[in-house]
Amino acid sequence: MPEDLLEAFASSPSAQSPLAQEFAGSISRLCELRQETASAIELEMRTTAPNLSTLAGELLGARLIARAGGLGSLARMPASRIQVNGRFQGAIQAYKVRHKTAKHGVIFQHPLVRGSHPNIRGKIARILAAK
């Protein structure tokens, strides 16, 4: 996606200014850095937590471990807490605007949870957290 944006930006008339060129270069360097970081995390997760990597994916597994405070803490955490782990900021926002709080936190980023119908997202998140 960032590559598409950079191509569209390069064809625009405002791309000729030096500031715009510098901005485009910064964006491309950040994209490369993000890809390098993601590949390093994927490699480390495959060796550290292969089961979690298989079930949740490398990046989501790393986020879960980081939120839990370590792999041991995540292993000892009950499924109900794993399901809502990382929803604190969303809960604060929900209380401010008087909406319902979230039923799931970081685990919502999993494709099975995110791509499912809103009525069954909580159930899928609960099943995934219990594994």
Side-chain angles (χ1 to χ4, degrees), residues 2 7-9 12 20 27 31-32 34 36 38 43 48 51 62-63 74 76 81 84-85 105 111 113 118 130-131:
E7 288 175 15
F9 178 73
S12 70
I27 295 295
C31 290
E32 291 171 6
R34 183 169 193 248
E36 289 174 13
L43 225 149
T48 305
N51 292 341
R63 283 189 187 109
L74 183 65
R76 288 187 299 272
R81 192 173 300 162
V84 295
N85 194 2
V113 179
K131 300 294 174 188

Side-chain angles (χ1 to χ4, degrees), residues 21-90:
Q21 293 293 330
E22 183 180 339
F23 180 70
S26 297
I27 295 295
S28 64
R29 282 191 301 275
L30 284 173
C31 290
E32 291 171 6
L33 182 63
R34 183 169 193 248
Q35 289 174 350
E36 289 174 13
T37 305
S39 63
I41 288 172
E42 289 171 3
L43 225 149
E44 187 65 31
M45 281 297 293
R46 283 188 206 126
T47 58
T48 305
N51 292 341
L52 181 62
S53 297
T54 303
L55 185 65
E58 289 87 4
L59 297 177
L60 180 58
R63 283 189 187 109
L64 285 170
I65 290 172
R67 288 281 184 172
L71 187 58
S73 298
L74 183 65
R76 288 187 299 272
M77 195 176 284
S80 59
R81 192 173 300 162
I82 292 172
Q83 180 183 352
V84 295
N85 194 2
R87 74 174 181 113
F88 182 71
Q89 199 65 29

Side-chain angles (χ1 to χ4, degrees), residues 3 7-8 10 16 21-22 35 42 44 59 76 82 97-98 100 106 108-110 117 126-127:
E3 293 82 16
E7 288 175 15
Q16 304 306 321
Q21 293 293 330
E22 183 180 339
Q35 289 174 350
E42 289 171 3
E44 187 65 31
L59 297 177
R76 288 187 299 272
I82 292 172
V97 294
R98 297 181 186 202
K100 292 181 181 178
V106 176
F108 179 74
Q109 295 171 0
H110 193 280
H117 193 272
R126 195 167 34 253
I127 290 169

